Amino acid sequence: MDRQLEKNQVISLEITGLTNEGNGAGHFGPNRFAVFVPDTAPGDRAQVRLVKVLKSYAYGRLEKLNRPSRDRMEPDCPVSRVCGGCSLRHISYEAECRAKNGWIEDSLRRLAGIQPNLEPFQPSPSPDHYRNKAQYPVGQDEEGSIRIGFYAKRSHRLVDGGECRLHPPVFTEIAQEVRRFLEKHRIPAYREETGEGLVRHLYLRIGQISGEIMVCLVINGRTLPHIQEFISLLKNRFPMVSSIVLNVNRNKGNVILGGECVTLWGRDTIRDTLAGVEVELSPLSFYQVNHDAAEKLYSVVKEYAGLTGTETVLDLYCGAGTIGLSLADRCKRLLGVEIIPEAIENARANAARNGIQNAAFFCGDAGQAAARLAEEGIRPDVIILDPPRKGCDEAALEAVVRMNPGKVVMVSCNPATMARDCKRLAERGYRLERVRGADLFPRTCHVEAVVLMSRI
Ligand code: SAH
């Protein structure tokens, strides 16, 4: 460790990188001691106060910007400092995409020992207003006024409404209307500390293609006072609202949704179409949050899978089945596996609604289900893997290799576990053929990638 570095010391630092937590990174002194600084960008030269000095790196706070990076921009959101939802709002979107592409390349190089040749990064078609779902906590301030908004950075303090740039503007308007309604009738918000009060969350969904909106109030009870007024307010002011639902959640703890939904008005679900697949969404259905970017991501999967119509495709970690279903007309047989029973019900319903008859979905752990399919002699030509952030289980990859597919197309939301899993497949006779990054969550630190691995 550099002996000269101490807590509270102010150093002059050139920021040269951006970590996948959204911190700028620079190296200090002859030993190139790593220092991470929030709210900085590659190209910044800054005075940095060290707030935490550890053995091999330190965290600092930006004191003064001596020379701002060309990537910088003024955060274009009034609450971005308090909220902390968007950790990359201080740099341009172009710089963000560059950084995200770098994270993917870096992970493959460092963790998989692969020198990748990345295909052009796919930005989100829109960096703002892209979310089709919002879950606003509802609370009350000291004076008892209702607050609907978001929690401040690292806290449980509610900041009211402030238009969130990631949500469609109509969501903000609906939230304001609901806040006025709750306020007018003095309907109490739920309080986590005591378990008392009624209204917990306002949950909104919009179908990007259909335009249909679902308004769902999550409550600690079975009914809402003044229901008729609530319904007419919403449907008169927002003609695209086609479903108004209560979700009953009487559990303590911070899980947002309860298991039971009661439709107050309109349909139980809203519709949307994703990559040619018509879907119906209940409050509990799993669905891609950035519709347009998800379609672009799926088109990369389609290209990498290169189906001709004769193949058996296994979609592991399939969620509500949309990736596989969007390919069903290009393969002979589609199998999907997913651990959440409701998602599998959604997948089956989605197949039926779209008249897809060559698909079957199984509920279970990816590793166990794949092992069983392998034992039954199922030999998919293409296996699609879209695991959660922790990546694939060793057992799942074992079973994948046992089925001996010609191609594995991996979709990943975590470059580090993706690189680890690519390495494991590379050790078992697969070669990384193509890789491409895509952004589904602009202004946040999340990034997706698609990889094609082929059997050697
Ligand atoms: N492919 C889907 C969603 C993938 S998200 C889409 O594009 O919409 C990852 C999915 O993996 C989630 O639905 C999650 O429930 C599921 N999952 C997590 N652990 C699993 C496991 N051990 N076995 C099977 N599925 C799992």
Side-chain angles (χ1 to χ4, degrees):
M1 159 176 177
D2 279 47
R3 219 177 282 124
Q4 69 262 41
L5 288 183
E6 280 167 15
K7 186 171 169 177
N8 276 324
Q9 188 180 339
V10 177
I11 60 171
S12 180
L13 192 70
E14 169 101 32
I15 302 295
T16 52
L18 189 69
T19 71
N20 59 11
E21 286 155 346
N23 294 324
H27 293 96
F28 183 76
N31 295 341
R32 300 186 45 74
F33 194 76
V35 182
F36 302 109
V37 192
D39 300 317
T40 59
D44 280 346
R45 175 161 276 289
Q47 300 295 111
V48 169
R49 182 178 295 275
L50 301 179
V51 291
K52 194 171 185 182
V53 181
L54 298 159
K55 214 169 173 168
S56 55
Y57 59 94
Y59 284 102
R61 190 174 60 219
L62 176 63
E63 287 270 307
K64 182 163 170 266
L65 206 51
N66 297 333
R67 185 197 67 202
S69 156
R70 273 185 297 177
D71 292 345
R72 271 190 176 273
M73 56 176 258
E74 220 16 68
D76 51 0
C77 165
V79 291
S80 74
R81 292 258 178 258
V82 235
C83 158
C86 295
S87 26
L88 300 177
R89 207 167 268 288
H90 62 297
I91 59 173
S92 71
Y93 186 51
E94 194 269 321
E96 174 183 337
C97 289
R98 215 185 315 127
K100 287 180 169 178
N101 199 54
W103 298 341
I104 298 168
E105 183 168 7
D106 219 49
S107 297
L108 284 168
R109 192 164 344 104
R110 279 189 307 114
L111 307 172
I114 295 170
Q115 190 61 48
N117 189 5
L118 275 90
E119 293 172 30
F121 189 82
Q122 282 195 331
S124 170
S126 160
D128 279 316
H129 310 302
Y130 59 82
R131 288 186 61 95
N132 58 23
K133 162 174 146 177
Q135 292 168 317
Y136 301 100
V138 179
Q140 275 167 278
D141 64 14
E142 285 96 54
E143 280 86 55
S145 297
I146 294 284
R147 295 261 175 267
I148 299 186
F150 49 84
Y151 291 117
K153 214 184 273 188
R154 289 187 289 273
S155 87
H156 252 208
R157 186 168 55 84
L158 254 187
V159 182
D160 197 52
E163 172 200 337
C164 171
R165 291 195 59 116
L166 305 187
H167 295 146
V170 65
F171 280 11
T172 313
E173 291 169 32
I174 294 176
Q176 283 162 353
E177 192 71 50
V178 172
R179 193 181 72 78
R180 277 194 290 272
F181 166 82
L182 297 175
E183 192 74 47
K184 174 179 169 195
H185 295 293
R186 308 225 139 267
I187 299 173
Y190 176 74
R191 291 181 47 188
E192 247 177 29
E193 319 83 69
T194 60
E196 286 161 13
L198 186 65
V199 185
R200 300 175 70 129
H201 275 86
L202 171 65
Y203 174 166
L204 304 175
R205 271 191 141 161
I206 183 167
Q208 182 87 8
I209 303 297
S210 67
E212 293 176 354
I213 295 174
M214 168 178 281
V215 178
C216 173
L217 215 49
V218 185
I219 60 171
N220 173 38
R222 299 198 49 85
T223 181
L224 184 75
H226 308 281
I227 283 185
Q228 282 317 318
E229 184 182 330
F230 183 67
I231 294 169
S232 15
L233 265 179
L234 289 172
K235 69 177 202 198
N236 293 343
R237 175 137 184 239
F238 305 101
M240 293 319 287
V241 169
S242 59
S243 169
I244 304 177
V245 182
L246 290 180
N247 175 270
V248 180
N249 183 0
R250 308 181 98 155
N251 302 321
K252 289 220 165 185
N254 55 10
V255 176
I256 294 179
L257 292 176
E260 189 189 349
C261 296
V262 183
T263 303
L264 296 182
W265 177 82
R267 304 199 359 262
D268 300 340
T269 55
I270 58 169
R271 274 169 301 199
D272 204 18
T273 307
L274 180 66
V277 180
E278 198 186 297
V279 294
E280 268 190 57
L281 307 172
S282 80
L284 302 171
S285 320
F286 180 87
Y287 193 52
Q288 291 285 346
V289 161
N290 183 344
H291 174 278
D292 295 355
E295 284 194 334
K296 286 180 73 178
L297 181 81
Y298 285 12
S299 71
V300 178
V301 176
K302 182 189 279 184
E303 187 185 328
Y304 284 8
L307 299 170
T308 62
T310 58
E311 296 87 352
T312 296
V313 174
L314 172 60
D315 184 5
L316 273 185
Y317 309 92
C318 69
T322 40
I323 293 185
L325 290 171
S326 73
L327 303 172
D329 61 349
R330 295 169 175 253
C331 65
K332 191 164 113 218
R333 186 175 181 204
L334 168 68
L335 305 168
V337 170
E338 157 66 43
I339 202 159
I340 295 181
E342 291 80 10
I344 282 292
E345 278 170 35
N346 291 156
R348 289 182 181 139
N350 287 337
R353 182 173 318 106
N354 289 275
I356 294 171
Q357 288 173 348
N358 58 344
F361 292 94
F362 308 97
C363 186
D365 167 70
Q368 288 171 10
R372 207 176 52 237
L373 292 171
E375 266 160 42
E376 286 168 17
I378 305 269
R379 293 288 174 266
D381 304 281
V382 177
I383 298 187
I384 296 163
L385 301 170
D386 185 8
R389 287 188 62 76
K390 69 175 169 66
C392 298
D393 288 338
E394 187 70 50
L397 288 180
E398 253 339 298
V400 164
V401 171
R402 195 131 39 90
M403 286 189 270
N404 200 27
K407 289 178 182 172
V408 176
V409 181
M410 196 188 305
V411 183
S412 166
C413 55
N414 182 344
T417 56
M418 174 190 85
R420 179 201 65 200
D421 292 344
C422 284
K423 181 162 184 251
R424 288 173 173 168
L425 286 172
E427 286 159 0
R428 293 171 171 83
Y430 285 81
R431 182 175 52 216
L432 186 137
E433 211 79 54
R434 302 177 69 176
V435 51
R436 183 163 195 179
D439 191 22
L440 267 66
F441 300 98
R443 315 327 253 139
T444 77
C445 285
H446 297 284
V447 64
E448 316 276 316
V450 188
V451 167
L452 168 63
M453 308 242 357
S454 298
R455 193 177 51 216
I456 298 169

